[in-house]
Amino acid sequence: MNLNNVFAAVKKASRSLNCMTDETINKILLALADETEAQADFILAENQKDLDKMDKSNPMYDRLLLTNERLSGIASDIRNVASLPSPLGKVLKESVRPNGLSLKRISVPIGVVGVIYEARPNVSFDVFSICLKSGNASILKGGTDAHASNTAIVSVIHSVLDRFGVDKNIVALLPAGREATGEMLVAVDYIDMIIPRGSAGLINFVRDNAKVPVIETGAGVCHLYFDQSGDLKIGSDVIFNGKTRRVSVCNALDCLLVHESRLTDLPALCHRLSEKNVELFADEKAYSVLRGNYPSGLLNKATSESFGKEFLDYKMAVKVVDSVEQAIEHIAEYSSKHSEAIVSADENSIAMFDNLVDAACVYTNTTTAWTDGAQFGLGAEIGISTQKMHARGPMALEELTTYKWIIKGNGQVRS
């Protein structure tokens, strides 16, 4: 397989986006939102082909599933992106030098953005809409689990681009096999940035094998620390929401840390989890308190492998700590630097947690489920960056731009 012709066509098409006005981009996005709803039956029928190949008990099934309601939500997100101000052409810095040279630093598109993702067909819509709004062409590499869904979605996108006379190569869907991933990772002449979205295994593979610059997103080993001053109702509510709202997403809660002085409150903190059949993996102290107070079939003794694990399932680890400092140390050892939370009424504990926890998003008295570009008011997101270079946290329009310097003179020469 040689995909260089595909990559070259996308690279060439990306330059045409530099001449497209924000008004035209918005019209395309609004038309795509309408067409997505109009083609719902077609998209859902293709999605069903993928669903038929996956066991419903697989936690990824929920990620793969599209419904009329979800497609309406996707269309709404696309319209929201269209309503946002363009991130391009902003003057980020300007000055006039003593020699008369005028300097401006302005925001510009990155160019060609490649995204590698697993069983999440909604990502195809998210990536295209955010990339188009930020002036970028996109190369999509979905997994085999969602190939029929992704193919249908990209065909709908292409039909809208045809209607507007826009080069369809501003978005390309690659074959689902691993060979295409390998070619993408080394396409340094054509792709400016790659974003992997999925499991830690996928992200590690991309990081270890890519020659193209990579921004790590997706894997979330998320903790919540219930401090000695924590409010019991707040703790119960945010633990339940963080763990059970959607278990297959990266901001779902994976580990509960409880201050030992609040050990007797642990059954109350975890009680509602049993309604969703959440399986707990508790350390020795937590297990001794939960035994007899949590369904025995859902209670296990934790092992060393229980911590630092992104479950993506109705499963959660529980550990007792003796201080906020120990909670922070545990998070430092096991966190993926995605989202971490504290439930506390003590300002000193909160300040220490905020300052010392190394993560893209740090929460107080609320759920990690908020880590989402739309919830942050950024529009749809292309991923949650867990690294520190260029972007961190929800990556939206501004994070898909870079900048260049524009210098104007009147004949100055350098001695």
Side-chain angles (χ1 to χ4, degrees):
M1 182 185 298
N2 190 326
L3 296 172
N4 281 349
N5 289 339
V6 175
F7 297 152
V10 176
K11 184 72 172 179
K12 181 179 179 181
S14 72
R15 293 193 288 272
S16 69
L17 289 173
N18 293 328
C19 301
M20 190 178 293
T21 66
D22 190 50
E23 180 182 7
T24 299
I25 287 173
N26 292 339
K27 287 180 178 178
I28 293 171
L29 290 173
L30 293 174
L32 176 60
D34 293 342
E35 191 66 14
T36 297
E37 293 177 325
Q39 295 293 332
D41 289 345
F42 165 61
I43 295 171
L44 293 179
E46 294 302 299
N47 180 239
Q48 189 61 49
K49 293 178 182 178
D50 292 325
L51 292 169
D52 289 342
K53 299 175 184 177
M54 182 178 286
D55 190 330
K56 288 186 177 181
S57 64
N58 188 330
M60 300 297 285
Y61 190 90
D62 180 63
R63 283 190 172 191
L64 178 59
L65 176 66
L66 293 175
T67 64
N68 278 305
E69 182 179 6
R70 289 185 178 182
L71 286 178
S72 294
I74 288 169
S76 178
D77 286 342
I78 295 171
R79 294 185 181 106
N80 185 41
V81 172
S83 72
L84 296 172
S86 172
L88 303 174
K90 292 183 177 179
V91 178
L92 306 175
K93 191 174 184 178
E94 62 180 323
S95 64
V96 177
R97 302 300 298 153
N99 61 6
L101 286 178
S102 170
L103 283 74
K104 285 186 180 180
R105 191 167 75 184
I106 63 170
S107 58
V108 297
I110 286 172
V112 176
V113 177
V115 181
I116 303 171
Y117 52 110
E118 294 170 329
R120 296 187 67 173
N122 63 294
V123 172
S124 300
F125 284 113
D126 292 346
V127 171
F128 172 75
S129 59
I130 296 177
C131 281
L132 179 63
K133 182 71 178 182
S134 57
N136 294 289
S138 49
I139 296 177
L140 309 177
K141 173 59 185 69
T144 54
D145 290 338
H147 192 61
S149 306
N150 290 329
T151 301
I153 290 166
V154 173
S155 72
V156 171
I157 294 172
H158 281 168
S159 71
V160 173
L161 294 177
D162 271 340
R163 194 187 313 165
F164 282 84
V166 175
D167 189 342
K168 292 190 296 185
N169 290 309
I170 64 170
V171 55
L173 177 67
L174 300 186
R178 293 185 178 182
E179 189 176 347
T181 300
E183 289 196 44
M184 191 177 179
L185 297 182
V186 297
V188 293
D189 292 331
Y190 307 107
I191 301 176
D192 296 291
M193 182 174 73
I194 286 178
I195 302 172
R197 289 190 59 170
S199 66
L202 170 66
I203 293 168
N204 291 338
F205 175 82
V206 171
R207 182 189 61 230
D208 293 344
N209 292 277
K211 293 184 178 179
V212 178
V214 173
I215 289 187
E216 299 176 33
T217 74
V221 180
C222 302
H223 300 77
L224 184 142
Y225 166 56
F226 188 77
D227 191 31
Q228 57 185 336
S229 64
D231 181 280
L232 187 58
K233 185 180 186 308
I234 289 176
S236 175
D237 288 346
V238 300
I239 290 166
F240 182 75
N241 181 257
K243 179 67 263 181
T244 68
R245 176 188 165 272
R246 286 189 69 185
V247 297
S248 63
V249 293
C250 58
N251 57 28
L253 185 61
D254 293 296
C255 181
L256 170 62
L257 304 171
V258 180
H259 193 281
E260 62 181 0
S261 68
R262 302 299 298 273
L263 199 52
T264 56
D265 289 317
L266 186 56
L269 288 171
C270 296
H271 173 71
R272 290 180 64 196
L273 297 174
S274 63
E275 299 171 11
K276 296 285 189 177
N277 294 316
V278 174
E279 194 173 352
L280 300 182
F281 298 84
D283 73 353
E284 186 175 344
K285 289 183 179 179
Y287 185 89
S288 66
V289 172
L290 289 170
R291 187 171 58 183
N293 293 302
Y294 197 80
S296 58
L298 297 173
L299 183 60
N300 309 280
K301 290 186 176 180
T303 68
S304 59
E305 295 180 353
S306 302
F307 302 105
K309 184 171 185 177
E310 185 183 29
F311 287 104
L312 301 174
D313 202 349
Y314 288 94
K315 299 177 180 180
M316 187 178 76
V318 184
K319 181 178 176 63
V320 179
V321 295
D322 61 16
S323 64
V324 63
E325 290 89 349
Q326 189 177 31
I328 292 169
E329 283 300 315
H330 180 92
I331 291 170
E333 182 175 357
Y334 293 106
S335 173
S336 64
K337 306 187 189 315
H338 189 293
S339 300
E340 308 293 356
I342 181 174
V343 173
S344 177
D346 183 271
E347 291 300 327
N348 290 328
S349 292
I350 294 169
M352 184 180 296
F353 196 87
D354 285 347
N355 290 333
L356 297 182
V357 168
D358 184 11
C361 302
V362 181
Y363 294 89
T364 298
N365 294 325
T366 190
T367 171
T368 57
W370 292 115
T371 303
D372 177 273
Q375 298 302 321
F376 280 23
L378 305 176
E381 74 192 26
I382 203 168
I384 308 295
S385 172
T386 55
Q387 64 183 47
K388 300 179 183 180
M389 295 295 288
H390 178 69
R392 200 175 196 198
M395 288 185 63
L397 296 176
E398 289 188 5
E399 287 72 31
L400 285 182
T401 66
T402 181
Y403 59 78
K404 66 180 177 184
W405 291 92
I406 302 296
I407 304 97
K408 297 185 183 300
N410 58 359
Q412 293 93 329
V413 294
R414 184 173 177 179
S415 59

